[in-house]
Amino acid sequence: MSSCCDSPRPEPEPEPVKAKSCCGGHEQDSSEAIQPSSGAKFFCPMCPGVESATPGDCPKCGMILERNPTWKSSSKTQYTCPMHPEVIADHPGDCPKCGMPLEPVLAGDSADDEEAAELRKLSRKFWIAFAMALPVFVIAMAGMIPWGNVDKILPPSIAKWIEFALATPVVLWAGSSFFVKAWRSLVHRSPNMFTLIATGVGAAYLFSVVAVLAPGLFPESFRIHGDGTTGDGSTGEIGLYFEAAAVITVLVLLGQLLEARARSQTGLAIQALLGLAAKTAHRLRDGEEEEVSIDQLQRGDIVRVRPGEKIPLDGVITSGSSHVDESMITGEPTAVAKKEGDEVIGATVNETGSFLMRAEKVGDETLLARIVQMVAEAQRSRAPIQKLADTVAGYFVPAVIISAIITFAVWALWGPEPAMAYALVNAVAVLIIACPCALGLATPMSIMVGVGRAAQSGILIKNAEAIEAIGSIDTLITDKTGTLTAGNPRITSKLAADGIDADRMLSLAAALEVHSEHPLARAIVAEATEAGLTLPEVSDFSSVTGSGISGQIDGSRILVGKETLLREQGVTVPKELAAEAEHLEKSARTIVWIALEETAIGIIGISDPIKESSPSAVKELQRQGIRLIVATGDNETTARAVAKELSIDEVYAGLSPEDKIKLVKRLKAEGRIVAMAGDGINDAPALAEAHVGIAMGTGTDVAMESAAITLVKGDLNGIVSAIHVGRSVMRNIRQNLVFAFAYNAIGIPVAAGLLYPFFGILLSPMIAGAAMSFSSFSVILNSLRLKRLDLRSPSGEASQSSDE
């Protein structure tokens, strides 16, 4: 049991983890990489810390930067008329021309427009390059056409100039970004895929240019006699490779275009969350109601919410009642009844009644904003498995360049005539087919999609390390109150000592407990409030962590908490109270003791029912072979009563926060992969100590800050789903890595000509270019399969839904 009296304890700041860039560059602080700067509208998913206020390419890996969906403009929201866009206002209202309501210009629109403009630019460049490369390809392949004599229609002496004229803009204009990215990679000492592409395309193009402009510079070994590799049937001509340079450029552009469009889907989860937020609210000020944008609301503002409207911010109902659809948060389709004094959450939907509410949390403080920020940070974090790809990528490009040099040398020395032509073609093929981009994309794409899919089901994952760990846990330690039980306890019995008024006892306890946010404390305060009791003033309030609280009321010391606290403080416990407490504990009641000075004056019995979802979740976790342990600060009798009902055999009761940490450390020392689930302040240290801390969204803010995973709905079925997400994401990452490693392991030897001595097979640089482009695209498509992960079933089976 989490004590109702615990106070938060400061947790040590975790040391930042150093992570290498995806391209083998300098180490960076991953803690800095996760936090985007205020003006960072775009970032690189492969290289932590690379951010930009404008769209473009990553200076390290060359990848097109992605838009940061959590970026917000610092400028004030403006409003425009959908019929008359020239009408601009700084507040909501009606268009003075047509009377239509003005619509807000969303902060993300400019970033969306910039991103769309980049895609249009890339698309336009691809289609122009394709139109110019096609005739180059046809001319180069003319000798393979089975009908007619193409050479008579277009002699080689003319054809080479046409190829030169058409290939040049393709390579130097459409493919100019490849050379720019390659140069940046050298400047940053982070060789990447564009280093290889620029080297291969540049070598093929420059060779062909020199062959056209100054063919006499080449020795005989470069000339083609008879029906050679150019396929033009010429004799003594220098082989041209304009078609290879042009077609490879077009294929790489196509791959980039397909990647950019596919990767845009990885941010759909955050965009969907952002779309849930209300845009305007009806604020009441000085008796007047006005429509204002959400960013104009301040804490304490009174807002009217009408039927069918979204609740603008997190707050408390001050007048009226209604039913609210909270499925956005809880996943439950049934509307929840709300009345005066109840809390409401921004972005949920008011269904029936109208009410007034007081804004309690605004801006980034709201639950929706915190969810979006947590998802964004997790999507940009790096899993430990990424270190493997980082290490390989750091050595990969130099190894490929060395392989290309060896390939050229072997073919030049021992290859058939024309030896130099074969050497050049095969060396270029090696450079082009080797794609470290697929290695770099393997982990971040899976993380981005998996975290987003989990968030849509109310599973908020703080970082990628938690995904990797949750999928491999074998031990789950769970708190009792608020985790296994509903966390909505009610007082079922009160017993005051002889000569003590029960209401007086309750008011003393509530006066102290009003300073706590734990469910048990709230139950005591709620009981006193419903009884209409006046709570006295408290002075010298203090907390004894894991045991209880104390304070001075009217000059007398009051203790509220466990029996152990009273005995440690030398308080006398009457036998009749001790006997009644033992009886209530056997009935699964949690006992809170109240003492005045040196004598116990009464006990309060609190009942907290087991959550409806707990039995099925426990069975599923046990079916998966996960060791379940109940670790609670409650007494052993109550704890075992709850554990017995759930068929959990291992119970540790009466634990302090330090005891819970010791339990976690002991299990970790035994080699167990430990997850800790809890919701109270005194669970926070153990949540931070475990491999994976899992906080119930219905619990305290301290617990959620200490945990790596937060379950918005707050039940054990969320843990089952979280494990399923972790295992699915890691399986997806391994598939991507295996595909990328296998692709390069097979592709590079084939491109080098390994099969030629046995089967006469050579890999054309154009085919190598196509394979290189589509390898990265395939990794992204495989990652996007996680969008269809079905997390609705309690068992967490890996079924797929048709939802996209």
Side-chain angles (χ1 to χ4, degrees), residues 281-437:
H282 304 286
R283 182 174 62 188
L284 273 66
R285 179 169 289 182
D286 300 327
E288 297 291 331
E289 183 175 317
E290 58 179 343
E291 185 178 20
V292 299
S293 65
I294 295 298
D295 55 12
Q296 290 179 295
L297 291 179
Q298 297 179 355
R299 190 182 293 107
D301 282 347
I302 301 299
V303 177
R304 184 184 301 280
V305 183
R306 298 187 175 97
E309 291 183 341
K310 288 183 178 180
I311 296 173
L313 297 168
D314 299 1
V316 176
I317 295 178
T318 59
S319 176
S321 62
S322 182
H323 283 76
V324 178
D325 178 4
E326 295 186 336
S327 57
M328 181 273 290
I329 297 296
T330 65
E332 295 294 337
T334 305
V336 181
K338 297 288 184 178
K339 62 182 184 303
E340 184 176 339
D342 288 344
E343 295 181 351
V344 289
I345 301 171
T348 56
V349 180
N350 179 33
E351 290 196 342
T352 54
S354 176
F355 59 84
L356 298 179
M357 61 170 287
R358 181 178 64 253
E360 296 286 344
K361 296 180 179 179
V362 298
D364 294 338
E365 299 173 348
T366 64
L367 178 60
L368 179 63
R370 291 167 60 193
I371 290 174
V372 170
Q373 188 61 34
M374 184 180 291
V375 173
E377 291 176 5
Q379 287 186 336
R380 301 179 64 186
S381 63
R382 296 162 68 79
I385 197 173
Q386 178 69 22
K387 294 178 181 178
L388 174 63
D390 289 346
T391 302
V392 173
Y395 297 98
F396 188 78
V397 175
V400 170
I401 293 176
I402 293 173
S403 299
I405 294 173
I406 294 174
T407 299
F408 184 90
V410 170
W411 279 94
L413 293 174
W414 296 292
E417 293 297 332
M420 288 297 180
Y422 275 114
L424 177 66
V425 170
N426 291 322
V428 169
V430 169
L431 290 171
I432 296 301
I433 199 169
C435 179
C437 187

Side-chain angles (χ1 to χ4, degrees), residues 5 544 547-550 557-574 577-578 591-604:
C5 314
V544 181
S547 296
I549 52 180
S550 66
R557 185 181 70 152
I558 306 297
L559 295 175
V560 180
K562 299 179 181 179
E563 182 181 3
T564 54
L565 172 66
L566 274 61
R567 296 192 182 278
E568 288 171 358
Q569 297 295 322
V571 173
T572 302
V573 177
L577 289 182
I591 305 302
V592 177
W593 288 79
I594 302 94
L596 173 62
E597 292 294 351
E598 306 299 328
T599 306
I601 61 172
I603 59 174
I604 296 175

Side-chain angles (χ1 to χ4, degrees), residues 509-646:
L512 268 69
E513 295 288 20
V514 76
H515 298 282
S516 174
E517 61 178 348
H518 192 275
L520 296 184
R522 292 199 296 267
I524 294 174
V525 175
E527 182 76 9
T529 302
E530 291 176 6
L533 303 179
T534 301
L535 305 185
E537 292 293 328
V538 177
S539 61
D540 296 332
F541 176 86
S542 64
S543 171
V544 181
T545 305
S547 296
I549 52 180
S550 66
Q552 294 284 332
I553 297 179
D554 296 331
S556 301
R557 185 181 70 152
I558 306 297
L559 295 175
V560 180
K562 299 179 181 179
E563 182 181 3
T564 54
L565 172 66
L566 274 61
R567 296 192 182 278
E568 288 171 358
Q569 297 295 322
V571 173
T572 302
V573 177
K575 292 183 179 180
E576 62 273 14
L577 289 182
E580 181 62 21
E582 183 179 355
H583 172 71
L584 291 174
E585 287 173 350
K586 290 180 179 178
S587 302
R589 301 294 191 270
T590 297
I591 305 302
V592 177
W593 288 79
I594 302 94
L596 173 62
E597 292 294 351
E598 306 299 328
T599 306
I601 61 172
I603 59 174
I604 296 175
I606 300 177
S607 175
D608 187 12
I610 292 175
K611 291 179 181 178
E612 293 182 2
S613 59
S614 292
S616 61
V618 167
K619 288 181 181 178
E620 175 59 24
L621 291 167
Q622 290 174 334
R623 187 190 69 81
Q624 295 183 17
I626 295 174
R627 176 182 175 187
L628 291 179
I629 299 173
V630 176
T632 175
D634 205 348
N635 66 83
E636 185 167 355
T637 303
T638 303
R640 289 200 175 276
V642 172
K644 182 178 180 181
E645 189 170 344
L646 292 172

Side-chain angles (χ1 to χ4, degrees), residues 38-96:
S38 59
K41 290 192 287 186
F42 299 90
F43 71 97
C44 177
M46 289 174 59
C47 300
V50 175
E51 298 171 341
S52 174
T54 58
D57 303 317
C58 174
K60 292 189 175 182
C61 68
M63 176 165 286
I64 298 174
L65 298 179
E66 291 190 4
R67 185 171 74 86
N68 175 12
T70 61
W71 174 84
K72 295 180 181 178
S73 173
S74 58
S75 60
K76 188 177 180 180
T77 301
Q78 292 185 320
Y79 298 82
T80 185
C81 175
M83 298 292 292
H84 300 89
E86 70 276 9
V87 175
I88 301 293
D90 60 359
H91 57 82
D94 299 324
C95 174

